[in-house]
Amino acid sequence: MARFTGKVVLVTGGTSGIGKAAALAFAREGARVVVSGRREPEGLAVVEEVKKAGGEAHFVRADVTKEAEVKNLVAQAVARYGRLDVAFNNAGVEWTGPITEVTEADYRKVFDANVWGVLAAMKYEIPELLRAGGGAVVNTSSIAGHVGMANVSVYIAAKHAVEGLTKTAALEYAKQGVRVNAVAPAAIVTDMIDRFVGGEDSDGGRGLAAMHPVGRMGRPEEVAAAVLYLASDEAKFTTGVSLPVDGGWLAQ
Ligand SMILES: NC(=O)c1ccc[n+]([C@@H]2O[C@H](COP(=O)([O-])OP(=O)(O)OC[C@H]3O[C@@H](n4cnc5c(N)ncnc54)[C@H](O)[C@@H]3O)[C@@H](O)[C@H]2O)c1
C-alpha cells in the first residue's frame, strides 16, 4: 500500500517549486492533498495535474502572513476531507543584500512569511493533528537555518527561527503523537533560485552550483522525497530534527 493512503496532507506554498513537487509526490503515494498558496490559477493547475494522474487534491487560497487566512485554510482542509494527518509548511520568500541596506519592510516581509507563516500554521494545524490521533509536521528551513552566509542576513535569521520553532513544537507535542521536523535544502532549482541568481545557466547559477560538494544544485523532487520520509511512519522515532538535503553543503 502507498505510504499515505487514507491520509490528508496540507501543503503551503504548494503552487510552485518544492511545495508543488511535494504535493504531487504525496498525491502519488495515496494522500488527499490540500494545495495552498496565494496564486489561484497556479494552485488549480497543480490540482489538475494531481487529478490527471489519478490522485485527489483541492486548492485553498491563503496568504500565510494573515492569521485569519491560515485559520480558514486549516478549517477548509478539515471541512473538505474530514481530518488532517500531515502539514508541510513550506511557503517562504527570499532576501539578499548587505546588512547596511536592510529596511524594516524587508525584515517584516521575510519574517511575516517565513517565521510567522510557519508559527501561525502550526497553531491551527496541531489541534487538528491531535484530533486525528497524531500526525506529522514538516517545516521548510534551509541550510540558511544552519549556517551564516554573507549578504543574506534577514533570510538567515528567519530560517534560524524556523529551526527553533521546529524544535520547540517537537518538544511540546512529543508525548501526544505529533512529530515536528524540518527539511534544510541547499540551492534547489526553483523560481526562487531564478530570482536569487538569475537561473541555473547564468554565471551566478553556475557559481552557486559549484559551491555544493556534489557540483550541482538540487531538484524540487529531491527535497520532496525527504519531506515524504519525515512525514511517513518510517520516521516515527524522528522528531525535532532538520534534515539537510544539500549535496554535502553542511559537511564542508
Ligand atoms: N530554492 C531554494 O534554493 C531553497 C533553498 C532552501 C530553502 N528554500 C525554501 O523552500 C521553500 C519553497 O521555495 P521554492 O524554492 O520552492 O521557491 P518558490 O518561490 O517556487 O516557492 C515559494 C512558494 O511560497 C509561496 N509564498 C510566498 N509567500 C507566501 C505567503 N505569504 N503566503 C502563501 N504562500 C506564499 C510562493 O508563492 C511560492 O509558491 C521556501 O520556504 C524557501 O525559503 C528554498
Side-chain angles (χ1 to χ4, degrees):
M1 193 172 28
R3 281 183 295 178
F4 294 94
T5 301
K7 307 269 190 202
V8 177
V9 176
L10 169 58
V11 179
T12 72
T15 53
S16 60
I18 294 166
K20 177 179 172 180
L24 294 172
F26 274 120
R28 267 197 305 275
E29 295 229 23
R32 288 168 287 168
V33 182
V34 177
V35 179
S36 185
R38 293 166 303 178
R39 296 170 293 168
E40 189 157 5
E42 283 83 350
L44 293 174
V46 175
V47 167
E48 209 38 54
E49 201 172 328
V50 166
K51 289 191 169 161
K52 267 203 190 114
E56 174 59 33
H58 176 62
F59 176 71
V60 179
R61 199 200 160 279
D63 179 336
V64 298
T65 66
K66 309 241 164 54
E67 181 168 1
E69 293 189 21
V70 173
K71 184 180 180 185
N72 177 63
L73 163 61
V74 174
Q76 294 288 326
V78 173
R80 176 80 180 197
Y81 292 131
R83 56 187 290 132
L84 183 65
D85 300 284
V86 171
F88 179 34
N89 299 321
N90 165 74
V93 292
E94 72 282 2
W95 181 87
T96 53
I99 283 174
T100 49
E101 286 176 16
V102 178
T103 67
E104 185 176 342
D106 292 335
Y107 169 81
R108 300 227 178 272
K109 183 175 166 218
V110 174
F111 269 70
D112 279 358
N114 297 16
V115 183
W116 173 240
V118 168
L119 183 52
M122 290 198 292
K123 173 177 172 178
Y124 292 101
E125 291 158 357
I126 287 172
E128 293 302 335
L129 298 175
L130 292 170
R131 247 190 289 285
V137 175
V138 181
N139 297 322
T140 302
S141 176
S142 167
I143 54 167
H146 290 251
V147 292
M149 289 172 206
N151 298 314
V152 202
S153 59
V154 180
Y155 185 76
I156 292 273
K159 291 300 189 184
H160 274 67
V162 171
E163 294 283 324
L165 289 174
T166 300
K167 286 187 259 195
T168 304
L171 295 174
E172 285 183 26
Y173 295 96
K175 290 215 166 46
Q176 295 170 69
V178 174
R179 297 181 300 103
V180 185
N181 293 294
V183 280
I188 307 298
V189 181
T190 66
D191 297 348
M192 185 174 284
I193 278 300
D194 286 351
R195 293 189 297 267
F196 201 66
V197 289
E200 199 178 5
D201 293 326
S202 66
D203 285 349
R206 277 187 289 275
L208 187 54
M211 291 168 78
H212 298 70
V214 298
R216 66 171 177 88
M217 295 196 247
R219 303 280 151 190
E221 295 71 25
E222 292 171 318
V223 182
V227 173
L228 266 70
Y229 164 68
L230 289 170
S232 76
D233 286 344
E234 291 162 50
K236 64 178 186 281
F237 197 53
T238 298
T239 195
V241 309
S242 175
L243 178 60
V245 185
D246 69 349
W249 186 296
L250 292 175
Q252 297 174 104

